[in-house]
Amino acid sequence: MPLCRFQLHATGSEIVRLGWVDQEQERVYELSDTLAHLLRLDGQERLRVLGELRRSAVATFPLRSVVMRAPVDEQEVWAAGVTYERSRDARIEESTQEELYDRVYDAERPELFFKAPGWRCVGDGQPVGIRADSTWDVPEPELTVVIDAGGEIVGYTIGNDLSSRSIEGENALYLPQAKIYHASCALGPWIVLREELPDVSDLNISMVVVRDEQAVWSGTVSTASLHRQVEDLIAYLYRALTFPSGALLMTGTGLVPPAEFTLQSGDRVAIEIEGIGKLTNRALRLESR
Ligand code: DO4
Ligand code: MG
């Protein structure tokens, strides 16, 4: 059963709780723990604690009575770039420094960048942002790994690495502004534990963008086209950083719509990853400040 963070929308309570999702029974079991605490434990201890928490779940709620929040609390979210051929080609197309992307695609060291602190991430059903000062924007559907403090994979979720192609394309040094802005990181709907999804080497990732009830773009890619090993990406991330409460790592996009596409306010973006679930968010253009 997946691990989630949820709120009870009927009570209007702001409290975000940790839970197990029983999809068959359509119920959520509240667990009296935090994701940060679970990610501080090593694998065996975590499984033992999870088993105990499951037996002593403090309360249960119908799935329809809760809203999912991003499955992240104290962690930082990092992202890998140019890990699929399609992403490399898209950067070459948008950039004035195209050789950078060709080089990083084949280099031993991957491109890794900071995406968001946990508190800035949005969950399933919450709006995602489009920068007011950007003219060319895309969602990026990415297999996202949840990693513990020791660098072990705990599970997987779905990530949407919202990006401004116009800002990144203008100058690669603008990458942080192209990637980090209000509601530019969506995660969810929950975390599927590694024990329940032991092999992620060939999972379909699909995305559809719906505008005025019409699909305006859709595509599918398999993680088999990922040009890096997930374990190598993690090893690079943990080389010179510690993550006492664990970390999340987006593994890059293999789906980039053609150049004439840009995300518009009101678009609904739905991303599905086989074995994990579906993450849906509506895009909203942010106000200029
Ligand atoms: O170099 C830019 C980042 C590309 C990216 O986010 C991706 O490939 O997913
Ligand atoms: Mg990306």
Side-chain angles (χ1 to χ4, degrees):
M1 288 198 281
L3 264 185
C4 70
R5 291 181 73 252
F6 69 98
Q7 275 179 311
L8 297 173
H9 59 71
T11 63
S13 158
E14 289 295 305
I15 300 168
V16 181
R17 304 152 199 252
L18 188 71
W20 281 111
V21 184
D22 185 335
Q23 286 168 275
E24 265 176 33
Q25 303 292 321
E26 299 187 3
R27 295 199 76 80
V28 177
Y29 294 82
E30 183 181 350
L31 307 176
S32 52
D33 208 336
T34 62
L35 186 62
H37 174 250
L38 292 174
L39 300 190
R40 278 183 216 123
L41 306 175
D42 70 31
Q44 273 200 340
E45 181 60 2
R46 183 167 42 251
L47 286 179
R48 191 191 65 74
V49 169
L50 278 171
E52 256 177 35
L53 286 168
R54 201 163 160 174
R55 281 188 291 279
S56 58
V58 290
T60 119
F61 306 96
L63 191 51
R64 62 170 192 287
S65 72
V66 309
V67 280
M68 292 295 157
R69 289 294 175 239
V72 58
D73 50 21
E74 294 173 24
Q75 300 73 37
E76 293 174 3
V77 182
W78 284 71
V82 199
T83 52
Y84 288 80
E85 207 171 65
R86 175 65 190 119
S87 179
R88 182 201 59 187
D89 295 348
R91 298 320 130 208
I92 289 175
E93 167 188 68
E94 79 203 9
S95 178
T96 50
Q97 295 113 349
E98 59 277 354
E99 75 290 348
L100 284 182
Y101 297 100
D102 230 351
R103 287 210 330 254
V104 81
Y105 182 73
D106 285 319
E108 195 178 326
R109 183 189 292 273
E111 176 195 356
L112 296 175
F113 57 91
F114 179 73
K115 179 68 185 173
W119 63 267
R120 232 189 245 293
C121 300
V122 301
D124 185 50
Q126 295 184 287
V128 287
I130 302 174
R131 284 186 70 120
D133 58 355
S134 172
T135 54
W136 188 16
D137 299 273
V138 281
E140 293 189 354
E142 307 193 8
L143 175 71
T144 300
V145 197
V146 180
I147 312 155
D148 71 13
E152 293 301 315
I153 296 176
V154 175
Y156 303 94
T157 187
I158 302 172
N160 186 347
D161 171 25
L162 276 295
S163 306
S164 162
R165 294 187 74 182
S166 52
I167 295 176
E168 185 183 345
E170 191 178 336
N171 187 322
L173 293 178
Y174 295 155
L175 185 77
Q177 295 175 75
K179 294 289 188 181
I180 307 169
Y181 46 92
H182 180 73
S184 71
C185 182
L187 296 169
W190 43 55
I191 299 167
V192 173
L193 296 179
R194 177 186 212 168
E195 289 71 22
E196 286 161 9
L197 190 62
D199 182 7
V200 295
S201 64
D202 187 10
L203 299 179
N204 276 336
I205 301 180
S206 49
M207 176 167 74
V208 57
V209 181
V210 175
R211 185 173 299 156
D212 301 327
E213 302 312 316
Q214 304 275 334
V216 287
W217 192 81
S218 64
T220 301
V221 69
S222 164
T223 54
S225 313
L226 179 60
H227 185 60
R228 306 265 179 186
Q229 296 297 319
V230 171
E231 288 75 10
D232 288 347
L233 295 174
I234 296 171
Y236 267 99
L237 180 63
Y238 276 61
R239 258 190 181 190
L241 282 172
T242 55
F243 295 99
S245 305
L248 276 77
L249 177 59
M250 300 169 124
T251 57
T253 188
L255 290 175
V256 184
E260 55 278 11
F261 174 92
T262 187
L263 198 61
Q264 290 183 12
S265 207
D267 287 356
R268 199 171 69 241
V269 182
I271 301 171
E272 242 176 301
I273 303 187
E274 230 182 323
I276 302 181
K278 189 173 183 177
L279 172 68
T280 307
N281 303 89
R282 197 172 282 279
L284 279 183
R285 184 166 287 278
L286 306 170
E287 308 237 315
S288 54
R289 289 168 186 252

